[in-house]
Amino acid sequence: MEKRKVWRKNGHENLKPKELLETLHIESPIKGEILPLSSIKDPAFSGGLLGKGIAVKPSEGKVYAVEDATVETLFPTKHAIGLKLTNGVEILIHIGMDTVNLEGRYFDAKVKQGEHVKKGDLLVEFDLNKLVDEGYSIETPVIITNSDQYLDIISSKESHETDLNPNVILSIVK
């Protein structure tokens, strides 16, 4: 996770910045197209009820650890995984919509709940083609579940940083 210092503007152009804030950058856990969370059909995700984030339309069926973390939650159906990063950020990766109904079919967890993982470790594999063939939406929300502990969560699509790593999907302002 890349850390940067950013200035928080105080709303007055002639005054100096008020305070220095830290920004954490989160890379995508899945290869694919980045979509706004509001595009998800499930209102619990699109309405931000579970936290702020983005969605990914996967181009391959693999989920990787975005940073060193602990697997806090691994649903028995393996369609969703919750990570707590070493810096305290909590991320939920929910593979597809309504995929809980598959009861674990087409999902293969490579980790266990409580396990410590390193950035880049393979967490879950899933059969993307089978999900599509069975009519499931593969759009995958990536949510910061403890969003309320941060000043802001900014999608890379909304960021004004010009030198941002292209794999970064979210910026978290502390």
Side-chain angles (χ1 to χ4, degrees):
M1 178 173 306
E2 187 179 323
K3 291 184 180 181
R4 295 179 186 227
K5 297 286 186 179
V6 295
W7 290 101
R8 181 177 178 195
K9 294 185 180 179
N10 58 18
H12 301 285
E13 290 181 26
N14 297 330
L15 298 176
K16 291 185 179 184
K18 190 171 167 182
E19 56 187 89
L20 193 59
L21 302 176
E22 185 176 3
T23 301
L24 308 171
H25 295 294
I26 305 288
E27 294 184 14
S28 182
I30 300 174
K31 291 180 183 175
E33 179 186 358
I34 305 303
L35 305 169
L37 194 57
S38 60
S39 70
I40 298 293
K41 291 182 173 82
D42 185 323
F45 291 109
S46 62
L49 297 175
L50 301 173
K52 293 183 179 182
I54 54 89
V56 180
K57 185 174 183 180
S59 58
E60 72 173 17
K62 296 180 179 179
V63 178
Y64 296 95
V66 296
E67 284 297 327
D68 293 357
T70 300
V71 178
E72 292 286 311
T73 307
L74 178 60
F75 286 72
T77 53
K78 303 173 193 85
H79 76 288
I81 187 167
L83 302 175
K84 184 170 187 176
L85 308 186
T86 55
N87 61 15
V89 174
E90 297 174 4
I91 298 178
L92 172 66
I93 304 161
H94 190 283
I95 304 164
M97 291 290 103
D98 299 320
T99 50
V100 65
N101 297 331
L102 291 169
E103 299 177 345
R105 280 192 333 270
Y106 314 131
F107 295 92
D108 182 20
K110 302 298 184 182
V111 294
K112 295 179 179 144
Q113 191 165 312
E115 190 173 331
H116 297 281
V117 295
K118 298 282 184 193
K119 181 178 181 173
D121 284 355
L122 181 60
L123 304 174
V124 178
E125 283 187 300
F126 58 99
D127 191 324
L128 195 57
N129 293 327
K130 296 271 188 182
L131 296 180
V132 171
D133 289 348
E134 293 220 13
Y136 287 91
S137 168
I138 56 171
E139 294 171 342
T140 299
V142 179
I143 307 291
I144 307 301
T145 56
N146 60 343
S147 295
D148 60 341
Q149 295 179 15
Y150 302 99
L151 291 176
D152 205 358
I153 311 292
I154 303 165
S155 161
S156 60
K157 301 262 185 205
E158 299 168 347
S159 177
H160 297 289
E161 293 184 67
T162 55
D163 60 342
L164 205 55
N165 173 335
N167 296 325
V168 169
I169 57 170
L170 292 170
S171 296
I172 300 171
V173 182
K174 291 175 85 175

